[in-house]
Amino acid sequence: MVSLTALHAMSTRPLRYLTSAWPWRALAYLLVSVGMVPVVAGLVQLAYTAGLPVAVLAGTVLTVAVAPWLARFERWRLRLVDRMPVRDPHGPPGPGPLGRMRTRLREPASWRELGFAAVAVLALWWIDLGLVALGLWLPLALMSAPLQPTTELLTSLPLTAAGLVMLPLAAYPVTAWAAVRATLVRTVLAGDEAELVRSRARLVDAFENERRRIERDLHDGAQQRLVALTMKLGLARLDLPPGSPAEVQVREAYDEAQRALAELRELIRGVHPQVLTDRGLPAAVLDVAGRSQVPVDVDLVLQEGRRLPPAVEVTAYYVVSEALTNVAKHSGASRCRVRGRLVKGVLDLEVRDDGVGGADQSGGSGLEGLADRLAVVDGAMSLSSPVGGPTVLRAEIPCA
């Protein structure tokens, strides 16, 4: 199971957590606060030379000025300990500099950013660095015992061993504070985005359940009735003289029923493919590739005998299906390739074609909807489509 946050990684088995990159990511996340040291040192120096009121005024002006950029930097920095996507909570600005300023001043997000900047300048930076120092000081001090001239060799070796044992333990308080700090940043600087993501996930789940219900009703109801009608029309043809007006009409009705049955089966497959439920993602991708107007090479390798979570399978299937539909409609490609691998708990999908390129995610071709669907399952999508081709669509879906 892939960990998307440092807090989740810390709750896994100790050996798995300590040998992962998460302790180092948490340490790097906190050590970035060292950039605040020269700023605060400069304000202290200003207070010493020009007086405390001047330093307070300068600090206030600086905090107000840098609050938007600091908030943007904190949202970017958050990815070190939290892989969940964080978007800018601001809406579109008004026209012109004055309109932009009016819009920003009316947004609660701007005032939250200002408050966070004040807390970061006054408290957060020294908590970050102080906790790292406290967590690492004792293990490093014990490990440096052999370097101390007053410490005997027989005494220094056990101290060094104790320091080596304590050093991994320091990863836990460091990561715990990094996770708490990340939660604070997400709550203050991302607003209600986490709840919006959960609400969107619930809507997608409800929609998917409804699709499955419609697929079952069509498969077990309308399709069975249409099959029975086709069989009766076929039997009726056998009882009529060949070439008679009645036989011609029954034959036409039989052909029309066959076409309607084929269209209904295609509709059922589009609502929710039964092959995906019965045989899993690789078989479903082969099925949709076989029906593509453009020849498709499929190279999808998953762990043998393992089924992915249903939400991952459904999302991956519709990513491939929509991508192949776009290839057929817009690319002018002569060949396409679908590749998929499961790497460290993340499904990596790639759809590549040799078409004319120039695809635009915001151009109304369904790619923006794919990105939204991937975001619900914490996935991500990237698109490379230079004019002249090739077009490469890549999707990464965590399988946790």
Side-chain angles (χ1 to χ4, degrees), residues 24-49:
W24 299 103
R25 294 168 71 99
L27 182 62
Y29 178 70
L30 297 182
L31 286 178
V32 171
S33 294
V34 76
M36 196 70 71
V37 173
V39 177
V40 176
L43 292 175
V44 171
Q45 179 65 25
L46 184 63
Y48 180 75
T49 56

Side-chain angles (χ1 to χ4, degrees), residues 204-216:
V204 169
D205 286 342
F207 178 65
E208 189 58 38
N209 291 333
E210 186 64 15
R211 288 170 67 104
R212 289 174 180 268
R213 186 192 65 78
I214 294 172
E215 185 269 336
R216 286 195 301 269

Side-chain angles (χ1 to χ4, degrees), residues 5-10 17 22 25-27 29-30 78 81-82 128 131 171-187:
T5 65
L7 185 62
H8 180 268
M10 194 172 59
Y17 163 66
W22 284 108
R25 294 168 71 99
L27 182 62
Y29 178 70
L30 297 182
L78 191 64
V81 290
D82 190 342
D128 295 344
L131 202 135
Y172 282 90
V174 168
T175 305
W177 169 243
V180 171
R181 194 186 191 285
T183 303
L184 174 66
V185 170
R186 180 177 285 278
T187 302

Side-chain angles (χ1 to χ4, degrees), residues 47 55 63 74 84 97 101 118 120 189 206 221 226 234 241 250 259 266 271 296 320 339 357 367 384 398 400:
T63 301
E74 286 288 346
M84 302 282 285
M101 182 179 296
L189 300 183
L226 200 52
V250 170
R259 285 191 289 270
E266 191 66 27
V271 170
V296 180
V320 174
R339 183 183 183 276
L367 295 175
S384 172

Side-chain angles (χ1 to χ4, degrees), residues 6-346:
L7 185 62
H8 180 268
M10 194 172 59
S11 66
T12 59
R13 294 190 303 273
L15 184 60
R16 178 180 178 183
Y17 163 66
L18 293 173
T19 55
S20 70
W22 284 108
W24 299 103
R25 294 168 71 99
L27 182 62
Y29 178 70
L30 297 182
L31 286 178
V32 171
S33 294
V34 76
M36 196 70 71
V37 173
V39 177
V40 176
L43 292 175
V44 171
Q45 179 65 25
L46 184 63
Y48 180 75
T49 56
L52 184 61
V54 175
V56 171
L57 179 62
T60 302
V61 172
L62 180 65
T63 301
V64 173
V66 304
W69 287 273
L70 179 63
R72 190 178 303 171
F73 174 74
E74 286 288 346
R75 284 190 288 265
W76 173 83
R77 169 188 176 184
L78 191 64
R79 69 184 67 184
L80 283 171
V81 290
D82 190 342
R83 289 176 175 169
M84 302 282 285
V86 178
R87 296 182 181 177
D88 194 331
H90 293 289
L98 209 58
R100 180 184 178 87
M101 182 179 296
R102 267 199 303 265
T103 302
R104 292 293 180 253
L105 289 177
R106 290 173 182 171
E107 290 180 325
S110 299
W111 297 101
R112 291 200 304 268
E113 290 176 353
L114 180 59
F116 180 86
V119 173
V121 171
L122 293 174
L124 282 181
W125 70 272
W126 62 263
I127 296 176
D128 295 344
L129 300 180
L131 202 135
V132 170
L134 287 174
L136 298 180
W137 174 79
L138 184 57
L140 293 178
L142 292 174
M143 291 170 60
S144 66
L147 304 178
Q148 305 301 324
T150 58
T151 306
E152 297 180 359
L153 181 62
L154 293 178
T155 306
S156 64
L157 291 179
L159 292 177
T160 302
L164 289 172
V165 171
M166 292 180 64
L167 189 60
L169 300 179
Y172 282 90
V174 168
T175 305
W177 169 243
V180 171
R181 194 186 191 285
T183 303
L184 174 66
V185 170
R186 180 177 285 278
T187 302
V188 175
L189 300 183
D192 297 325
E193 184 184 350
E195 180 57 34
L196 290 175
V197 171
R198 287 193 292 269
S199 299
R200 185 167 56 177
R202 288 194 293 268
L203 288 174
V204 169
D205 286 342
F207 178 65
E208 189 58 38
N209 291 333
E210 186 64 15
R211 288 170 67 104
R212 289 174 180 268
R213 186 192 65 78
I214 294 172
E215 185 269 336
R216 286 195 301 269
D217 291 345
L218 290 175
H219 184 273
D220 299 335
Q223 181 177 247
Q224 299 305 320
R225 291 180 180 275
L226 200 52
V227 168
L229 174 62
T230 304
M231 292 178 62
K232 288 183 178 181
L233 289 173
L235 292 173
R237 283 182 59 194
L238 299 177
D239 296 333
L240 296 173
S244 64
E247 192 270 340
V248 171
Q249 291 183 1
V250 170
R251 184 174 71 248
E252 291 176 353
Y254 175 82
D255 294 339
E256 194 66 31
Q258 289 277 57
R259 285 191 289 270
L261 182 60
E263 291 178 3
L264 180 61
R265 285 172 175 162
E266 191 66 27
L267 175 63
I268 292 172
R269 189 183 291 113
V271 170
H272 186 86
Q274 189 64 32
V275 65
L276 181 63
T277 303
D278 295 340
R279 299 173 55 195
L281 183 62
V285 170
L286 285 171
D287 178 66
V288 73
R291 292 182 282 110
S292 174
Q293 299 176 13
V294 178
V296 180
D297 299 320
V298 178
D299 178 20
L300 183 58
V301 179
L302 304 178
Q303 186 175 341
E304 189 174 354
R306 176 188 173 185
R307 289 289 296 268
L308 299 177
V312 174
E313 286 192 336
V314 170
T315 302
Y317 172 81
Y318 284 109
V319 166
V320 174
S321 180
E322 181 67 25
L324 293 182
T325 299
N326 286 336
V327 169
K329 286 183 178 179
H330 308 294
S331 72
S334 61
R335 199 153 198 91
C336 182
R337 182 171 183 260
V338 177
R339 183 183 183 276
R341 293 290 186 275
L342 190 60
V343 181
K344 296 183 179 179
V346 177

Side-chain angles (χ1 to χ4, degrees), residues 369-386:
L370 280 184
D372 290 339
R373 186 172 190 124
L374 284 164
V376 172
V377 292
D378 302 326
M381 186 183 81
S382 61
L383 177 69
S384 172
S385 184

